Amino acid sequence: MGQTPPLTYALRQCGFSNRGRKGADYRIFISAIIFMGKTGSWWKNLPEEFGKYKSVHSRFTDWSKRGVFVKFFELVRQTDDPSVLRYLDTSFVKCSICATTGRCAETERIIGKTKGGLTTKVAAICDNEMRVHECRIDPGNDSDHLVGKRMELTGEGKKIVADKGFSSKEFRRHLEDFGFG
């Protein structure tokens, strides 16, 4: 499979190609499916930000018939030992007024300015049992892959599961240097 994302690989395996009309962003489509699964609502009640409900339903039906979802989940679950997986993600924390004005005790501030205001970013690496192996706090305006590079990574032969924010070539090389597969 190499460095091809599992969804792209699954689409190719099920007969989809890069030729022809390009579909909308897959993330929006997957978000629409997650929304439908969480709410259990009718397709016609799908919010407009996910696109036309008939188009989303048509793509969902097509992918289901062609086995894209089955292939995708097979690829994601291809490891026999889930204990080798490590999950890496970050989250923003909005800073309080006290932290931003300097009226609190004088300590080092790790604050970044973003569209949402002054924020701090918390990053963590967890295992399948949701035990935290590494945690880090950085300014909120730092990109995910830069925060990931600053984390102490240990785990010979382990695999990292992370979102698109960590998908830079530089970060992948960093993972390889620490023995992640």
Side-chain angles (χ1 to χ4, degrees):
M1 187 173 74
Q3 293 295 328
T4 306
L7 182 58
T8 304
Y9 186 78
L11 287 168
R12 288 183 189 154
Q13 292 294 311
C14 295
F16 289 90
S17 69
N18 291 337
R19 294 179 293 156
R21 186 173 158 257
K22 301 281 186 218
D25 189 355
Y26 290 140
R27 287 176 288 177
I28 295 171
F29 172 65
I30 297 298
S31 295
I33 293 171
I34 291 169
F35 174 84
M36 294 301 294
K38 282 183 176 179
T39 62
S41 66
W42 296 67
W43 284 103
K44 66 180 180 179
N45 294 337
L46 186 69
E48 289 180 19
E49 61 258 22
F50 294 119
K52 297 176 183 175
Y53 78 91
K54 286 187 178 185
S55 300
V56 174
H57 179 263
S58 175
R59 184 189 277 186
F60 176 79
T61 304
D62 187 32
W63 283 22
S64 297
K65 287 178 182 174
R66 292 172 92 169
V68 173
F69 297 113
V70 172
K71 189 68 175 174
F72 171 74
F73 288 117
E74 284 174 2
L75 291 168
V76 171
R77 288 184 301 151
Q78 76 188 131
T79 179
D80 292 332
D81 183 8
S83 66
V84 301
L85 296 177
R86 294 290 179 262
Y87 301 92
L88 171 59
D89 204 3
T90 59
S91 184
F92 288 101
V93 178
K94 193 137 174 123
C95 296
S96 68
I97 294 172
C98 182
T100 59
T101 60
R103 293 184 186 153
C104 298
E106 286 301 315
T107 58
E108 183 182 352
R109 291 187 182 90
I110 306 172
I111 299 172
K113 191 170 187 178
T114 63
K115 289 180 183 177
L118 297 173
T119 58
T120 295
K121 185 176 278 193
V122 179
I125 297 178
C126 301
D127 62 12
N128 277 3
E129 306 287 321
M130 291 302 136
R131 292 179 295 223
V132 177
H133 289 266
E134 173 71 22
C135 187
R136 182 174 177 83
I137 298 174
D138 285 283
N141 58 347
D142 284 359
S143 63
D144 287 352
H145 76 277
L146 291 177
V147 172
K149 278 186 67 176
R150 294 185 201 125
M151 298 184 86
E152 293 180 31
L153 302 170
T154 57
E156 192 67 34
K158 304 281 185 196
K159 292 184 179 186
I160 290 281
V161 178
D163 60 20
K164 193 171 183 166
F166 296 96
S167 66
S168 71
K169 289 180 184 177
E170 185 180 342
F171 184 65
R172 287 186 184 141
R173 273 190 244 113
H174 179 70
L175 289 176
E176 289 169 4
D177 292 344
F178 281 91
F180 284 90

